[in-house]
Amino acid sequence: MTGHDISAGSAATDHLWMHFTRHSTQDTSAASVIVRGDGPYIYDAAGRRYLDGLSGLFVVQVGHGRQELAQAAAKQAGELAYFPLWSYAHPPAIELAARLSDLAPGNLNRVFFTTGGSEAVETAWKLARAYFRRTGRPLKHKAISRVMSYHGTSMGALSITGMPAARNDFEPLVPTVVRVPNTNYYRRHHRASDLYEFGQWAADQIAEAIEQEGPDTVAAVFIEPVQNAGGCIPPPPGYLRRVREICDRYDVLLVADEVICGFGRLGEYFGSQRYDFQPDIITCAKGLTSGYAQLGAMIADERLAEPFRADRDWFAHGFTYGGHPVAAAVALANLDIIEGEQLNAYVRANTDVFRGYLERLYDLPIVGDIRGDGFFFGIELVKDKVTRETFTTEEKEVLLREHVSKALFDAGLYCRADDRGDPIIQLAPPLICDESHFAEIEQILRAVLSDAWRRL
Ligand code: PLP
């Protein structure tokens, strides 16, 4: 007994340093303590039920409370709880690496395990740099990423992240990352006549950045198939193919950061398959285990591993817990569920149903744009639908932070109200959700957003 009342959240206020959380909020109100999950629902310490509209944090693809995954973890922990991948291997990591190689597109047959997404992104950049060094182009070291993108928080991954609010306190970051426009068509500054032309223009900005920096200095372009931060920004038709062509032209590696987009979120194992383009590296995490254990991976094209196989060479990189046996065993069981329950086909068949429920909200004056794909959507809130005028920082503060987030949760929907750029409500429910859950999401959003508009 510690003497702390954990269920009331006061111990969290005193001792638990929550992530990306305002400490002033912690000081004035106890944290909501979530104690249990079941299917698409989570329950707090008082027994209240909430629909998990964000799969935790874009993680819990197969839903909460899956005993198969708990049992897979227990079985592996009983057999071999831990062993590193430093010079030794263990069966779950070997089997999972082979399975991911089969699932990943093209020659992406080399799997480097990490414990999460930041480490996977970090690893991809390090591999790109080391690969070009080994192959006689040591100046190729820079990365290109898109405005408002999120790629993680470790210093390398944070440098690639394009969100000023996440970076400012930690400058100077790792040199050198160049930022290019994302593909937010609703907020475009370019006068493209249609989505296709806009996508070609956005891709060409990457070519321009490479030219500006000097092709001899650029190692890799990091892109999420659907960009999360900034509000579920899908790629225009033809965009990713064009990015691929540009990377080929300049001998730059294309890294698909699929930490969110992988494992069914977009109705395929990987977003690269959804949009039919071939990356050189995929970074993934989150849905790989549905969050029942922590695991990430960098899946690289075979040719990128070749230079490290010669003589006494090696890729001087690793993590104690990368490819942890328990996490790898959980990932295998999670892939069994995704495959057995045909969740990719299920998401593809239900994307438009989900979208349809959300698009009913277009009759509300505060709803400006609804965008996304798979089970991954963002709703952009506006002050004026016609002019697309957005909210001031102060209005966002009152509207999103003080009102909408809390009201949605109080009404039984856990999702994200993001005010780091344009105000967005993000939805990424577990892939097992059906029409009744989409209807529940729509009803709660309708009530809360209507009320928010009246308060404005
Ligand atoms: N990359 C993307 C696209 C992400 O969305 C995230 C996390 O949300 C990361 C990287 C970092 O992953 P992690 O938080 O597991 O380090």
Side-chain angles (χ1 to χ4, degrees), residues 355-367:
R355 189 196 303 272
Y357 272 93
L358 297 178
E359 287 185 346
R360 291 180 186 191
L361 298 167
Y362 267 131
D363 64 346
L364 302 181
I366 198 170
V367 171

Side-chain angles (χ1 to χ4, degrees), residues 52-66:
D52 182 357
L54 205 63
S55 302
L57 201 54
F58 314 96
V59 168
V60 190
Q61 315 296 68
V62 301
H64 297 274
R66 303 291 301 236

Side-chain angles (χ1 to χ4, degrees), residues 22-42:
R22 279 194 187 167
H23 297 282
S24 59
T25 319
Q26 260 181 275
D27 291 343
T28 51
S29 62
S32 300
V33 180
I34 305 301
V35 296
R36 188 167 74 80
D38 183 15
Y41 291 100
I42 49 172

Side-chain angles (χ1 to χ4, degrees), residues 116-118 121 150-152 224 228 257 259-260 286:
S118 300
V121 169
Y150 182 83
H151 296 282
E224 287 172 272
N228 172 42
D257 184 353
V259 168
I260 288 181
K286 297 193 188 251

